[in-house]
Amino acid sequence: KNDVLINDDNPTTAFETMASAPALLANAARRSMAQVMRSSSRPAIAATHSKMTFGSARLMSTYYTPAHEYCKVEGNVATVGITDFAQAALGDIVFVDLPEPGDEFDAKDSFGSVESVKAASDVYAPVGGKVLEANEALTDEPGLVNSSAEEDAWFVKLEVADEGELGELMDEAQYKEHCEKEAH
C-alpha cells in the first residue's frame, strides 16, 4: 500500500508528501532569509540582503542585439561586448578600438571597432549611456576576444541612461533563434 505515516495524528500518502516538498523548501528558504536579515551578529549581510528586491527577478540579465553585441546588466551598469557568434564570424581579432571613460552614446551609436584578419566591424551601444570603464586589457591583448568574448573580453561598462531601452533587445532564447536563422 502507498501510505506512509509521518506521525499517528496525521497520516499522509507518499504522493502528498512529495507534492508538498517544494512548498516546504520555499518556506524554509523564506525563514532562512528572514533569519539572516534579523541577525544582529551579521550586520553587513543583513544590510546587503535588506536592499534586495524580491519583486525583481533580475539580479543580472543578459540582452543581445541583432548586430551581435551583448549587454549584461546589473543594477544600472551594462557590461557590453561582442558575442561568441560575432568573434567566430570575424576570425582572429588583431585590434580593438575603445572609447574613453566619460564618453556618452545613444543606443545604436557606434562606440568602437574590432579588426580581424578577415574584416573590420563597428561595435554599437545596445543601450544609451555614459562609459564608466573601458577594458584596457583588450588594447594589449585583442585576441582575448576570441578566447573569452562574453566573459573577460568585455569592451565597456556603461551607466544605463534609459532602462526602457532594454525591452528593445533580445533575450538569450531570441538571440539563439536569431543566430540560427542567420546561419542558414
CSV table of all heavy atoms in Angstrom, one decimal, residues 12 20 32 35 37 47 67-69 71 95 112 146 166:
chain,number,residue,atom,x,y,z
A,12,THR,N,-0.3,10.5,6.0
A,12,THR,CA,0.0,11.2,4.7
A,12,THR,C,0.4,10.2,3.7
A,12,THR,O,1.3,9.3,4.0
A,12,THR,CB,1.1,12.3,4.9
A,12,THR,OG1,0.7,13.1,6.0
A,12,THR,CG2,1.2,13.1,3.6
A,20,SER,N,4.2,18.2,-1.4
A,20,SER,CA,4.3,19.4,-0.5
A,20,SER,C,5.8,19.7,-0.3
A,20,SER,O,6.1,20.8,0.3
A,20,SER,CB,3.7,19.1,0.8
A,20,SER,OG,4.4,18.0,1.5
A,32,SER,N,14.9,31.2,6.4
A,32,SER,CA,16.3,31.4,6.4
A,32,SER,C,16.7,32.8,6.1
A,32,SER,O,17.5,33.4,6.7
A,32,SER,CB,17.0,30.4,5.5
A,32,SER,OG,16.8,29.1,5.9
A,35,GLN,N,15.8,35.1,8.9
A,35,GLN,CA,16.7,35.0,10.0
A,35,GLN,C,18.0,35.8,9.7
A,35,GLN,O,18.6,36.4,10.5
A,35,GLN,CB,17.1,33.5,10.2
A,35,GLN,CG,15.9,32.8,10.9
A,35,GLN,CD,16.2,31.3,11.0
A,35,GLN,OE1,17.1,30.8,10.3
A,35,GLN,NE2,15.4,30.6,11.8
A,37,MET,N,18.3,38.4,7.8
A,37,MET,CA,18.0,39.8,7.8
A,37,MET,C,17.8,40.3,9.2
A,37,MET,O,18.2,41.5,9.5
A,37,MET,CB,16.8,40.1,7.0
A,37,MET,CG,17.1,40.0,5.5
A,37,MET,SD,15.6,40.2,4.4
A,37,MET,CE,15.3,41.9,4.7
A,47,ALA,N,22.5,44.0,6.1
A,47,ALA,CA,22.3,45.3,5.3
A,47,ALA,C,22.3,45.0,3.9
A,47,ALA,O,21.5,45.5,3.1
A,47,ALA,CB,23.5,46.2,5.7
A,67,ALA,N,23.0,42.9,-34.2
A,67,ALA,CA,24.4,43.1,-34.7
A,67,ALA,C,25.4,42.3,-33.8
A,67,ALA,O,26.6,42.5,-34.0
A,67,ALA,CB,24.7,44.5,-34.7
A,68,HIS,N,24.9,41.5,-32.9
A,68,HIS,CA,25.8,40.6,-32.1
A,68,HIS,C,26.6,41.2,-31.0
A,68,HIS,O,27.7,40.8,-30.7
A,68,HIS,CB,26.7,39.7,-33.0
A,68,HIS,CG,25.9,39.0,-34.1
A,68,HIS,ND1,25.1,37.9,-33.7
A,68,HIS,CD2,25.7,39.2,-35.4
A,68,HIS,CE1,24.5,37.4,-34.8
A,68,HIS,NE2,24.9,38.2,-35.8
A,69,GLU,N,26.0,42.3,-30.4
A,69,GLU,CA,26.6,42.8,-29.2
A,69,GLU,C,25.8,42.2,-28.0
A,69,GLU,O,24.6,41.9,-28.1
A,69,GLU,CB,26.5,44.3,-29.1
A,69,GLU,CG,27.4,45.0,-30.0
A,69,GLU,CD,26.8,45.3,-31.4
A,69,GLU,OE1,25.6,45.1,-31.5
A,69,GLU,OE2,27.5,45.7,-32.3
A,71,CYS,N,24.9,42.6,-23.7
A,71,CYS,CA,24.7,43.7,-22.7
A,71,CYS,C,24.3,43.0,-21.4
A,71,CYS,O,23.2,42.5,-21.3
A,71,CYS,CB,23.6,44.6,-23.2
A,71,CYS,SG,23.1,45.9,-22.2
A,95,PHE,N,42.9,43.9,-33.4
A,95,PHE,CA,42.8,45.2,-32.9
A,95,PHE,C,41.4,45.5,-32.4
A,95,PHE,O,40.4,45.2,-33.0
A,95,PHE,CB,43.2,46.2,-34.0
A,95,PHE,CG,43.1,47.7,-33.6
A,95,PHE,CD1,44.1,48.2,-32.8
A,95,PHE,CD2,42.1,48.5,-33.9
A,95,PHE,CE1,44.1,49.5,-32.4
A,95,PHE,CE2,42.0,49.8,-33.6
A,95,PHE,CZ,43.0,50.3,-32.8
A,112,GLY,N,32.9,51.9,-31.0
A,112,GLY,CA,34.3,51.4,-31.1
A,112,GLY,C,34.3,50.5,-32.4
A,112,GLY,O,33.3,50.4,-33.1
A,146,ASN,N,38.7,36.4,-28.8
A,146,ASN,CA,38.5,35.1,-29.4
A,146,ASN,C,38.4,34.0,-28.4
A,146,ASN,O,37.7,33.1,-28.5
A,146,ASN,CB,39.6,34.8,-30.4
A,146,ASN,CG,39.6,35.7,-31.6
A,146,ASN,OD1,40.6,36.4,-31.8
A,146,ASN,ND2,38.6,35.6,-32.4
A,166,LEU,N,16.2,48.5,-22.7
A,166,LEU,CA,16.5,47.1,-22.6
A,166,LEU,C,15.4,46.2,-23.2
A,166,LEU,O,15.6,45.1,-23.7
A,166,LEU,CB,16.7,46.7,-21.2
A,166,LEU,CG,17.9,47.3,-20.5
A,166,LEU,CD1,17.9,47.1,-19.0
A,166,LEU,CD2,19.2,46.8,-21.1
